[in-house]
Amino acid sequence: MRRTLVLTAVASLALTALAAATAAAGAFLLRDLGPLPPRFSGPPLPRETVVSEMTSILSAEGIAVEREPSGVLGRCHERLSGRHAPETVDAAMKAALARARSEYGWQTGPDTGGASVTLTKNNWTALATFASDPAPGLQAPVIVSLICVDGDDASTAPTAPSAPALTPAPAPS
């Protein structure tokens, strides 16, 4: 009986110490670190500016692309696509990406691995995909996806009509 009491007391003491350590660790993890940093730096860029800039960067390297309709109003996503000679498409894309960094202020984005490169500028991310081997006699596809960090481009997105205010019905008399 005495042995059981001692074991119970030791176990109780160990559980109390474990609970105190967990509370201290939890308090450390849940401390207030202040506001989150901004998701992007610089002023937000309008959709038309980014599309025009990226189109001219690619055009300067001989890559002709067309803007595809986004299909979803209010969504902040654009896609530029075109075709280029397969022998020079990789060199032209690398030169275009270098031009975007050096002349237009785009920064290298996160590494996505594989055959794509990510660039960022203010609230936009550009994902350029390098061409795979096209079928003989065909030009290589070129695709650049532009995505707004905020998920919405307020400067060019249509504004939704405001809903009428709801008023409570008068109480029956």
Side-chain angles (χ1 to χ4, degrees):
M1 176 77 174
R2 188 174 212 190
R3 185 179 208 133
T4 305
L5 277 171
V6 170
L7 286 176
T8 304
V10 169
S12 174
L13 191 57
L15 285 175
T16 303
L18 180 63
T22 303
F28 174 76
L29 293 174
L30 295 175
R31 71 188 186 281
D32 184 15
L33 298 176
L36 291 173
R39 293 176 61 186
F40 60 89
S41 62
L45 295 174
R47 174 189 314 244
E48 296 303 320
T49 302
V50 173
V51 169
S52 159
E53 186 173 283
M54 192 55 70
T55 302
S56 68
I57 290 168
L58 294 168
S59 176
E61 298 302 328
I63 302 171
V65 292
E66 292 183 10
R67 181 181 188 174
E68 293 182 9
S70 62
V72 182
L73 291 176
R75 296 289 304 203
C76 203
H77 181 267
E78 293 289 335
R79 184 172 160 165
L80 305 174
S81 65
R83 299 214 169 257
H84 192 72
E87 304 82 32
T88 59
V89 69
D90 284 342
M93 281 298 290
K94 288 177 183 175
L97 296 172
R99 179 183 299 270
R101 287 186 200 101
S102 65
E103 295 179 20
Y104 291 87
W106 287 83
Q107 302 293 317
T108 302
D111 183 16
T112 57
S116 63
V117 174
T118 306
L119 298 176
T120 61
K121 183 174 181 181
N122 294 19
N123 58 324
W124 286 88
T125 299
L127 179 67
T129 304
F130 286 95
S132 58
D133 294 330
L138 295 178
Q139 290 192 323
V142 174
I143 298 171
V144 177
S145 294
L146 301 166
I147 302 130
C148 187
V149 174
D150 286 341
D152 185 26
D153 183 14
S155 62
T156 59
T159 56
S162 59
L166 295 175
T167 56
S173 347

